[in-house]
């Protein structure tokens, strides 16, 4: 049986995620797969994603992986990364596309015209680079990670959810936005742990040993 399945629907930075997981879990079987049967049988599932949300959702369906991802999100340790976070929600402004509707909320674009610092300096969109992640809950995946650790971001859209209980961390750019969510067996992040050095590897190591209660 596969210990950790990384879902390949043609839209993720899979090599970096794969190498990072192999590094932190050398005794686990880590595979990149586009086979729904492998995803169904895996003990843990990681869904990364980069690019445009409409393309990601379209490719997920075209590859026959949508149902397998939904089942995984309801039944086993599940980690979403970047668009792997965004697709969990109801819909996205990007292309006005429907998400998987597993969690309540929308994915919205940074308001470009008002993206300025308190000093009036213009902030760039996409939000790209290192930024502090302020943890808002105690969670097993935050174990041994400083409460204001820095992680690497590349995105123009962020999650807006009415369910504040889902929020596991926030980042400021230039306002506070949700950058991590957690519910039951689901943990998902807007940043890229596979590109975030020690803090990111620690989060992935925590995921590889996480036993969520149902």
């Amino acid at each position: 049986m596969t210990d950790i399945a990384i879902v390949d629907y043609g839209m993720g930075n899979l090599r970096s995620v794969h190498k990072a997981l192999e590094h932190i879990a050398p005794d686990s079987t880590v595979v990149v797969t586009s086979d729904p049967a492998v995803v169904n049988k895996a003990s843990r599932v990681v869904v990364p994603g980069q690019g445009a949300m409409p393309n990601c959702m379209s490719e997920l369906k075209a590859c026959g992986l949508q149902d397998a991802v939904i089942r995984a999100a309801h039944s086993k340790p599940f980690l979403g990364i970047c668009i792997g976070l965004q697709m969990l929600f109801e819909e996205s402004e990007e292309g006005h596309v429907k998400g998987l509707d597993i969690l309540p909320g929308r994915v919205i674009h940074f308001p470009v015209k008002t993206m300025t610092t308190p000093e009036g300096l213009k902030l760039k969109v996409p939000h790209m680079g290192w930024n502090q992640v302020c943890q808002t809950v105690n969670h097993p995946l935050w174990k041994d990670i400083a409460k204001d650790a820095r992680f690497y971001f590349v995105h123009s859209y962020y999650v807006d959810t009415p369910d504040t209980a889902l929020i596991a961390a926030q980042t400021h750019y230039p306002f506070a936005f949700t950058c991590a969510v957690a519910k039951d067996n689901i943990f998902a992040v807007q940043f890229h742990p596979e590109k975030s050095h020690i803090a990111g590897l620690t989060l992935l190591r925590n995921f590889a040993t996480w036993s969520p209660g149902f």
Side-chain angles (χ1 to χ4, degrees), residues 18-37:
H18 188 214
K19 286 178 65 68
L21 284 166
E22 283 192 322
H23 176 72
I24 58 85
D27 297 326
S28 297
T29 302
V30 183
V31 300
V32 175
T33 182
S34 57
D35 185 343

Side-chain angles (χ1 to χ4, degrees), residues 35 39 54 56 92 103 119 124 172 191 210:
D35 185 343
V39 175
C56 287
S92 175
L103 301 175
E119 296 76 27
K124 293 181 179 180
H172 283 78
F191 52 82
W210 178 36

Side-chain angles (χ1 to χ4, degrees), residues 17-202:
V17 176
H18 188 214
K19 286 178 65 68
L21 284 166
E22 283 192 322
H23 176 72
I24 58 85
D27 297 326
S28 297
T29 302
V30 183
V31 300
V32 175
T33 182
S34 57
D35 185 343
V38 175
V39 175
N40 288 335
K41 293 178 180 178
S43 299
R44 301 169 189 276
V45 170
V46 179
V47 180
Q50 288 180 289
M53 181 76 159
N55 294 340
C56 287
M57 292 304 303
S58 176
E59 289 301 312
L60 191 72
K61 293 175 184 176
C63 293
L65 286 162
Q66 179 168 304
D67 289 345
V69 168
I70 291 172
R71 280 192 293 271
H74 285 102
S75 64
K76 62 188 71 178
F78 180 101
L79 177 64
I81 298 173
C82 195
I83 285 183
L85 159 72
Q86 295 179 9
M87 66 171 52
L88 293 172
F89 289 82
E90 295 168 275
E91 60 180 347
S92 175
E93 280 187 351
E94 188 175 18
H96 303 286
V97 66
K98 295 292 185 182
L100 298 177
D101 199 12
I102 294 169
L103 301 175
R106 301 176 66 243
V107 179
I108 60 178
H109 197 276
F110 281 111
V112 177
K113 293 182 180 179
T114 60
M115 296 292 287
T116 57
T117 68
E119 296 76 27
L121 298 176
K122 188 76 172 175
L123 292 173
K124 293 181 179 180
V125 177
H127 172 215
M128 183 181 298
W130 294 84
N131 206 338
Q132 285 186 324
V133 169
C134 303
Q135 301 166 26
T136 57
V137 297
N138 291 321
H139 191 280
L141 265 67
W142 293 135
K143 181 183 178 184
D144 298 326
I145 300 174
K147 290 187 178 296
D148 58 354
R150 295 172 69 84
F151 289 82
Y152 188 81
F153 290 81
V154 183
H155 65 120
S156 299
Y157 293 79
Y158 65 95
V159 167
D160 181 29
T161 177
D163 187 354
T164 57
L166 291 176
I167 301 172
Q170 294 182 321
T171 290
H172 283 78
Y173 191 77
F175 50 84
F177 69 88
T178 298
C179 67
V181 298
K183 182 178 181 181
D184 302 329
N185 58 300
I186 296 172
F187 196 90
V189 296
Q190 183 61 64
F191 52 82
H192 289 269
E194 77 280 5
K195 297 180 180 179
S196 298
H197 299 330
I198 294 174
L201 292 177
T202 301

